[in-house]
Each structure stands twice: as structure tokens, then as C-alpha cells.
């Protein structure tokens, strides 16, 4: 069921879980080491309803998570072939309003007691071609 805030912000289901909408794409581009071009950065809204989590995934760019409301807990599982057993945690909320997920690191969000809305800035810009589910 689509959460009310997803209606207000016109968010769509994200393949990893939660809801999202891209809100900005940099007009500047950068060449990746393999020659592909990407915007220098992209920005999305990401809504994680209470009790929901995202699947293990990783992207080939750095991500900065920015808190708007609620708390998002991101588990980081290293950069190996699969998520590691030993995890580190990034909390993004009013007290820690920014969090970094380095490029190539496995990540997932874990359920919280309340809805959480964040923005996620990705640099170089996000492309589903660089998105991998575990």
C-alpha cells in the first residue's frame, strides 16, 4: 500500500525497498574510468515507512544521506563479493543529519519505529546500470 507521504511527494516504489523520486540531476557531466558519462551528482527523496527495510545492495558511487524526518539506520557490509557478517552502522536522523555510504559498499536499511524521509545525494550521479542487489 502506498504511504500518504509517497502520494504527496509523488514517490514510486524503489527496487531495493522503500519509495523514491529523483528531484535533481546536475547539468555537468564527468567521464567514469570506463569511459561512460554520468552527471556529477543526482539527488532523490527516499521514504522508508515504519517497520520496512531495504534489500542488500550497492552502487558504484558515494552516497550522502540527508535527514528530513524520522531515523534511517543503514548497515554497511563491506565491499567484498557479498555482504560481510561483520557490519558497521550509519544512523541518519535529526542528531546526525548526514551519513556517508562509500562507493562499492554493501548496504541495507533496517526497520525503525517511525516513517523516515531522507534525501540521498549520489556522486558521480546514480544510474541503475551501477546498482547491484545481493
Amino acid at each position: 500500500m502506498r504511504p500518504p507521504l509517497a502520494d504527496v511527494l509523488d514517490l514510486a516504489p524503489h527496487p531495493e525497498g522503500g519509495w523514491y523520486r529523483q528531484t535533481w540531476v546536475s547539468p555537468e557531466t564527468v567521464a567514469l574510468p570506463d569511459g561512460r558519462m554520468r552527471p556529477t551528482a543526482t539527488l532523490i527523496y527516499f521514504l522508508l515507512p515504519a517497520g520496512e527495510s531495504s534489500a542488500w545492495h550497492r552502487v558504484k558511487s558515494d552516497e550522502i544521506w540527508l535527514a528530513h524526518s524520522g531515523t534511517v539506520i543503514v548497515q554497511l557490509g563491506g565491499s567484498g563479493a557479498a555482504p560481510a557478517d561483520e557490519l558497521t552502522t550509519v544512523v541518519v536522523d535529526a542528531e546526525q543529519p548526514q551519513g556517508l555510504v562509500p562507493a562499492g559498499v554493501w548496504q541495507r536499511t533496517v526497520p525503525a519505529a517511525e516513517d523516515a524521509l531522507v534525501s540521498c545525494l549520489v556522486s558521480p550521479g546514480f544510474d541503475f546500470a551501477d546498482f547491484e542487489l545481493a
Side-chain angles (χ1 to χ4, degrees):
M1 184 168 137
R2 188 172 181 181
L5 188 54
D7 281 331
V8 170
L9 296 175
D10 192 28
L11 307 180
H14 197 291
E16 75 192 42
W19 299 80
Y20 82 108
R21 177 171 57 90
Q22 188 172 74
T23 57
W24 177 75
V25 176
S26 172
E28 302 298 322
T29 58
V30 62
L32 300 180
D34 63 9
R36 293 179 296 151
M37 299 299 291
R38 287 282 185 274
T40 55
T42 56
L43 184 68
I44 65 167
Y45 280 133
F46 182 72
L47 173 65
L48 192 65
E52 292 189 17
S53 60
S54 69
W56 279 111
H57 65 284
R58 63 180 169 183
V59 299
K60 294 180 180 177
S61 298
D62 287 338
E63 298 181 36
I64 301 291
W65 291 56
L66 307 163
H68 296 296
S69 64
T71 300
V72 173
I73 301 166
V74 184
Q75 290 182 329
L76 305 179
S79 57
D85 292 333
E86 190 172 320
L87 306 175
T88 58
T89 301
V90 173
V91 176
V92 182
D93 61 12
E95 293 179 14
Q96 300 169 90
Q98 296 180 359
L100 171 66
V101 177
V105 171
W106 290 104
Q107 62 178 293
R108 70 175 174 191
T109 59
V110 296
E114 61 184 335
D115 291 356
L117 178 66
V118 297
S119 286
C120 186
L121 179 71
V122 179
S123 180
F126 180 82
D127 187 302
F128 275 105
D130 296 332
F131 174 80
E132 178 183 3
L133 286 168

